[in-house]
Amino acid sequence: MKNKVQKDIAQTAVTLSPHGENWRGAGRAGEGLEGFGFIAYANSRVEKLQEEGRYDAANKLKMYLRKFIAYLGKSEVPFKDFDSLLIRNYHTWLKNQELGRNTITLYIRNLKRVYRLAVESGLADEYHPFEGMDVSYHVKKEKNGLTLAEVKHMRDLDLSSEHPSIVFARDIFLFSVYARGMRSDDIFRLTRKNIQNGQLTYRQHITGKEISIPWEPALQEIADRYRRKGTARLFPVITAKAPHEQWKQYDSLLHRINYSLKKLGEIMGLGYPLNLTVARHSWQSMTKSVSISDIL
């Protein structure tokens, strides 16, 4: 079983080295664990996530691995060398990059998750390389969110002289707020079939939970601006057919929207970067002090 897993890893490993090196060596059927690589196994996890259609998770794991490879200065580390000294030194190196605590936690946690899977698969002995290391998140006491006055100010801004991408970003932000903090990956999956009898009903992509909210005139007004013949989608911006290409389009679109929202936040004079996460927090914070009718 162990040899089969090693052979599969060797066949499916994805090249992630910033130096352009292909991983070679350990992992051939019949070899023991001596010299077997953590990076090769992690690459196989990326491949598996992609096969499952979990492209966002795969892309993030690739990013975390690239950072680790940049620290290593080489494209592989055998499991026998994947020890607590290596992880402590990596943690110190990340801190010297002036990264935030939660960002560092993400980098370490994802290595830990991959290592645990390798141990469970019998590919690595348990050396407890993460023992004693604090990888907990630092929860922010306050999350950035717009006030009711700021949402109305955004809605009423004259953006006629700005690039259309900023207007589109504002519409998606407001749609998210009006739709009770709907996430962007749910917004771009909506079709006219989701609107029935004055209700917007959809299933959250992340949780699978069904949500039903009133289809307000403010939502209709935004959707009407992007209605196109030949498609039932409310926002027909994801046009690819293949799932991976759809994810690439969505990922690129999300970056462009958040870039435009940052510009919009500067126009509004906000003291923090505006993005779609702020839309969800805005809805959550406003509903504690104002009525739904006030927001819409």
Side-chain angles (χ1 to χ4, degrees):
M1 176 64 180
K2 184 183 297 181
N3 286 340
K4 181 181 183 302
V5 175
Q6 289 179 313
K7 184 177 180 181
D8 290 343
I9 290 171
Q11 292 173 340
T12 61
V14 180
T15 299
L16 292 177
S17 170
H19 312 294
E21 301 171 6
N22 288 317
W23 178 81
R24 299 181 182 89
R28 291 189 291 268
E31 290 184 348
L33 293 181
E34 181 72 20
F36 188 72
F38 171 84
I39 301 298
Y41 178 71
N43 290 341
S44 75
R45 298 302 306 174
V46 172
E47 183 93 351
K48 188 173 189 303
L49 289 169
Q50 291 173 334
E51 290 173 353
E52 294 173 352
R54 298 168 62 187
Y55 302 111
D56 190 54
N59 198 53
K60 287 178 179 176
L61 181 54
K62 286 169 69 175
M63 177 184 69
Y64 301 137
L65 288 175
R66 285 194 179 101
K67 181 68 76 173
F68 186 50
I69 290 170
Y71 160 72
L72 292 173
K74 55 185 179 180
S75 58
E76 189 55 281
V77 56
F79 276 113
K80 67 182 182 62
D81 297 332
F82 195 88
D83 56 19
S84 58
L85 178 61
L86 176 69
I87 298 303
R88 285 199 303 270
N89 288 341
Y90 178 49
H91 187 267
T92 299
W93 183 82
L94 289 172
K95 288 197 292 185
N96 290 339
Q97 304 293 307
E98 298 184 353
L99 300 174
R101 169 176 170 164
N102 286 349
T103 300
I104 292 174
T105 293
L106 281 173
Y107 284 121
I108 299 296
R109 272 193 172 189
N110 278 273
L111 293 189
K112 184 177 182 180
R113 184 177 296 115
V114 172
Y115 181 80
R116 291 301 313 160
L117 289 170
V119 170
E120 291 170 7
S121 299
L123 296 173
D125 293 327
E126 177 60 272
Y127 294 119
H128 305 287
F130 300 90
E131 190 172 15
M133 180 167 290
D134 181 10
V135 292
S136 60
Y137 286 112
H138 176 68
V139 180
K140 296 180 180 179
K141 292 183 179 179
E142 294 184 5
K143 297 179 179 179
N144 293 326
L146 300 188
T147 64
L148 175 60
E150 288 171 331
V151 169
K152 290 184 176 181
H153 174 53
M154 175 189 286
R155 179 196 64 193
D156 297 336
L157 271 177
D158 180 6
L159 299 179
S160 58
S161 62
E162 301 295 335
H163 193 275
S165 61
I166 293 183
V167 178
F168 178 69
R170 175 180 65 178
D171 282 344
I172 297 302
F173 185 98
L174 291 174
F175 191 95
S176 175
V177 174
Y178 298 160
R180 313 317 198 245
M182 184 185 293
R183 294 177 178 272
S184 57
D185 56 343
D186 293 322
I187 290 175
F188 294 118
R189 286 183 169 87
L190 293 176
T191 70
R192 288 194 288 275
K193 291 182 179 179
N194 292 110
I195 307 167
Q196 301 288 337
N197 302 317
Q199 290 291 118
L200 172 62
T201 304
Y202 69 99
R203 193 171 295 279
Q204 288 183 329
H205 181 64
I206 291 180
T207 66
K209 180 181 179 181
E210 185 174 275
I211 305 293
S212 186
I213 61 175
W215 180 245
E216 305 284 357
L219 294 169
Q220 183 71 57
E221 181 181 345
I222 294 174
D224 284 346
R225 286 199 280 273
Y226 300 96
R227 189 183 183 97
R228 298 289 184 274
K229 291 183 178 180
T231 177
R233 290 191 181 275
L234 298 191
F235 300 97
V237 290
I238 308 297
T239 58
K241 301 298 182 183
H244 186 237
E245 292 303 315
Q246 288 179 348
W247 176 83
K248 287 171 63 176
Q249 278 191 337
Y250 168 72
D251 187 59
S252 176
L253 175 66
L254 189 60
H255 279 86
R256 294 198 304 272
I257 290 175
N258 282 330
Y259 177 81
S260 296
L261 286 175
K262 183 178 179 181
K263 296 291 184 183
L264 181 58
E266 293 170 357
I267 293 172
M268 294 175 63
L270 298 179
Y272 54 85
L274 187 65
N275 54 46
L276 285 175
T277 300
V278 176
R280 295 202 308 275
H281 295 163
S282 299
W283 167 257
Q284 292 166 2
S285 62
M286 285 189 299
T287 52
K288 296 176 182 177
S289 56
V290 301
S291 67
I292 303 299
S293 59
D294 288 333
I295 298 173
L296 297 172

